[in-house]
């Protein structure tokens, strides 16, 4: 790899995860960072993640091959202006924001089109900060790239290969298409989740009955409402037009199902849920083509202390490494099940065989 130095402005969940992943895969890579808090830089330096003990100045980024902008949208725009006269000619500037229109426009206004490849890792959490960053957050996650038309294809291909080397799945999109897609699959769901939480809070009684009995379904669909309000304020304003289009379409969809319920239209109600079920079920279908498969299975848990530990011991004693593990509660299964993700197809197949040998009920994907 010809890349020698990476620069990061912002070390939150995403920036921190990219740093941790790059350090794991490329231990000798030189990496510097700038953060709003010196404490973050100090901790990252002590952990061996970055090479600067003091907060980097803008001038310190002059030798970087790639610079990742990992701050909120409006702050990124400020940093772009500061970096314009600092970056070397071969440097590629990128970001990790979920809205691309504003930053592409700023890049065009500043005449920096030949040096910008927008980026958006489709991974994250309602949690924030480098303390919640992991060296595996990008693993098997789509990483959208939105290069300008003026960027040399050699640079685009090199950056795409670098992102792929971090374990992500790079996908190149036009930035306008990206913003329309994320308005539907990311931004609208956050608005809906927060609106539902607010509705329940406002509709609850003095005894907080709704809050008390809120179970898996409600918690699953509203988990993302715990995300940063500041971040989502900026996202809504940055992707305003496309988000409003999706909100209007969603309101129309709600009006349609409301009319069917009001008319006691059993067939129409059934079609509404069946159509949603069919499309939702298709999301779990193993992808075809060159994209990597997610090797997930689900296993009923024996209701006893140490149930998870027993399964982990069975797999470990057979030299099977677990990539991810967690309890799932939703209506797809009657009770809670253990979701287990393996690293490859042979491990996946052996895990299913072993667990069934020990009389566990296993659901395949």
């Amino acid at each position: 790899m010809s890349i020698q130095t990476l620069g990061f402005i912002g070390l939150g969940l995403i920036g921190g995860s990219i740093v941790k992943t790059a350090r794991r895969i490329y231990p000798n890579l030189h990496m510097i960072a700038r953060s709003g808090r010196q404490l973050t830089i100090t901790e990252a330096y002590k952990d061996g993640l970055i090479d600067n003990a003091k907060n980097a100045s803008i001038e310190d980024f002059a030798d970087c091959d790639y610079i990742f902008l990992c701050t909120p949208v409006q702050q990124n725009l400020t940093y772009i202006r500061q970096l314009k006269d600092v970056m070397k000619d071969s440097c590629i500037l990128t970001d990790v924001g979920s809205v691309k229109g504003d930053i592409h426009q700023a890049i065009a206004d500043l005449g920096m089109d030949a040096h910008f490849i927008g980026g958006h890792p489709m991974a994250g959490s309602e949690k924030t900060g480098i303390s919640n960053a992991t060296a595996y957050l990008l693993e098997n996650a789509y990483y959208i790239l939105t290069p300008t038309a003026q960027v040399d294809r050699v640079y685009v291909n090199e950056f795409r290969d670098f992102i792929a080397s971090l374990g992500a799945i790079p996908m190149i999109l036009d930035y306008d298409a990206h913003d329309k897609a994320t308005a539907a699959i990311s931004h609208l769901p956050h608005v809906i989740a927060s609106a539902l939480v607010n509705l329940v809070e406002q509709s609850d009684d003095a005894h907080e009955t709704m809050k008390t009995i809120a179970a898996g379904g409600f918690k699953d669909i509203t988990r993302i409402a715990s995300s940063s309000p500041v971040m989502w304020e900026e996202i809504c304003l940055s992707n305003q037009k496309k988000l409003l289009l999706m909100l209007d379409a969603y309101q129309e969809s709600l009006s349609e199902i409301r009319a069917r319920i009001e008319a006691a239209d059993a067939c129409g109600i059934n079609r509404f849920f069946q159509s949603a079920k069919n499309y939702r079920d298709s999301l779990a279908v193993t992808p075809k083509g060159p994209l990597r498969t997610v090797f997930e299975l689900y296993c009923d848990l024996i209701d006893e202390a140490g149930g998870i530990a027993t399964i982990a011991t069975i797999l470990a004693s057979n030299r099977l490494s677990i990539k991810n593990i967690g309890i799932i509660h939703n209506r797809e299964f009657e009770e809670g099940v253990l979701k287990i993700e393996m690293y490859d197809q042979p491990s996946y197949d052996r895990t299913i065989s072993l667990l069934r040998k020990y009389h566990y009920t296993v659901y395949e994907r």
Side-chain angles (χ1 to χ4, degrees):
M1 188 183 68
S2 61
I3 302 165
Q4 301 297 320
T5 303
L6 299 185
F8 293 84
I9 298 182
L11 281 181
L13 177 71
I14 299 299
S17 292
I18 297 174
V19 166
K20 289 182 178 182
T21 303
R23 182 61 78 205
R24 173 174 62 85
I25 297 173
Y26 301 109
N28 297 321
L29 198 60
H30 184 67
M31 293 192 284
I32 63 171
R34 178 181 175 89
S35 173
R37 299 169 65 237
Q38 173 60 43
L39 179 60
T40 301
I41 296 296
T42 301
E43 291 177 352
Y45 176 75
K46 287 181 177 178
D47 290 340
L49 299 175
I50 59 176
D51 297 295
N52 56 300
K54 294 183 179 180
N55 218 347
S57 67
I58 292 299
E59 289 71 24
D60 291 333
F61 291 90
D63 293 326
C64 290
D65 297 298
Y66 296 143
I67 299 173
F68 288 80
L69 297 172
C70 307
T71 65
V73 177
Q74 295 304 316
Q75 290 183 39
N76 281 345
L77 300 184
T78 299
Y79 280 118
I80 290 172
R81 290 188 287 271
Q82 296 176 15
L83 289 165
K84 179 181 179 181
D85 296 325
V86 172
M87 295 164 48
K88 63 183 182 181
D89 289 342
S90 61
C91 180
I92 290 296
L93 183 65
T94 187
D95 74 318
V96 298
S98 68
V99 181
K100 289 287 163 276
D102 283 359
I103 196 164
H104 270 269
Q105 185 60 57
I107 288 292
D109 291 344
L110 290 168
M112 299 172 65
D113 306 72
H115 300 279
F116 184 71
I117 301 175
H120 179 203
M122 302 296 290
S125 166
E126 71 279 10
K127 298 178 181 179
T128 60
I130 193 171
S131 60
N132 292 301
T134 77
Y136 294 92
L137 187 70
L138 303 179
E139 193 80 18
N140 289 322
Y142 284 104
Y143 197 120
I144 310 301
L145 303 179
T146 61
T148 68
Q150 288 75 26
V151 179
D152 191 309
R153 296 304 300 182
V154 171
Y155 290 146
V156 175
N157 292 338
E158 286 180 349
F159 187 61
R160 179 199 61 202
D161 292 346
F162 174 69
I163 294 301
S165 76
L166 299 181
I169 305 170
M171 176 185 290
I172 297 177
L173 285 179
D174 171 79
Y175 75 84
D176 196 61
H178 166 275
D179 285 357
K180 181 179 179 181
T182 54
I185 65 170
S186 177
H187 307 163
L188 179 62
H190 276 82
V191 173
I192 293 171
S194 296
L196 181 56
V197 170
N198 289 337
L199 174 65
V200 169
E201 180 186 22
Q202 294 159 10
S203 304
D204 211 351
D205 57 31
H207 301 291
E208 295 190 327
T209 301
M210 294 182 185
K211 182 178 182 180
T212 301
I213 66 175
F218 178 80
K219 291 180 179 178
D220 285 344
I221 200 172
T222 61
R223 174 184 57 80
I224 53 179
S226 294
S227 300
S228 165
V230 174
M231 178 180 73
W232 282 100
E233 173 192 336
E234 289 202 358
I235 287 173
C236 287
L237 295 178
S238 297
N239 206 22
Q240 182 189 52
K241 291 182 179 179
K242 290 180 174 57
L243 178 54
L244 287 175
L245 288 174
M246 289 300 166
L247 276 169
D248 290 343
Y250 183 68
Q251 287 180 321
E252 184 177 341
S253 178
L254 286 179
S255 296
E256 289 177 1
I257 186 58
R258 186 191 185 285
R260 291 172 183 173
I261 294 172
E262 184 177 36
D265 178 6
C267 290
I269 294 170
N270 183 278
R271 283 195 302 272
F272 173 82
F273 287 108
Q274 187 64 53
S275 174
K277 172 177 167 49
N278 291 344
Y279 188 74
R280 177 62 179 82
D281 288 349
S282 75
L283 300 183
V285 173
T286 300
K288 297 178 181 179
L291 300 182
R292 284 168 285 182
T293 304
V294 176
F295 302 100
E296 294 177 348
L297 59 99
Y298 299 82
C299 175
D300 276 343
L301 276 175
I302 298 175
D303 188 14
E304 62 181 13
I308 296 177
T310 299
I311 290 176
T313 300
I314 291 172
L315 299 183
S317 62
N318 285 273
R319 298 180 180 276
L320 288 167
S321 298
I322 299 171
K323 180 178 179 182
N324 202 0
I325 190 168
I327 299 174
I328 300 296
H329 292 283
N330 61 38
R331 293 189 179 184
E332 192 170 352
F333 305 101
E334 291 184 4
E335 301 292 342
V337 298
L338 193 66
K339 173 184 172 183
I340 304 172
E341 183 179 353
M342 308 303 291
Y343 281 95
D344 51 42
Q345 188 70 50
S347 298
Y348 175 84
D349 293 337
R350 286 185 62 207
T351 297
I352 292 173
S353 177
L354 269 172
L355 293 179
R356 286 177 175 164
K357 174 184 175 182
Y358 285 93
H359 308 295
Y360 286 95
T361 299
V362 178
Y363 307 91
E364 299 180 53
R365 278 301 192 199

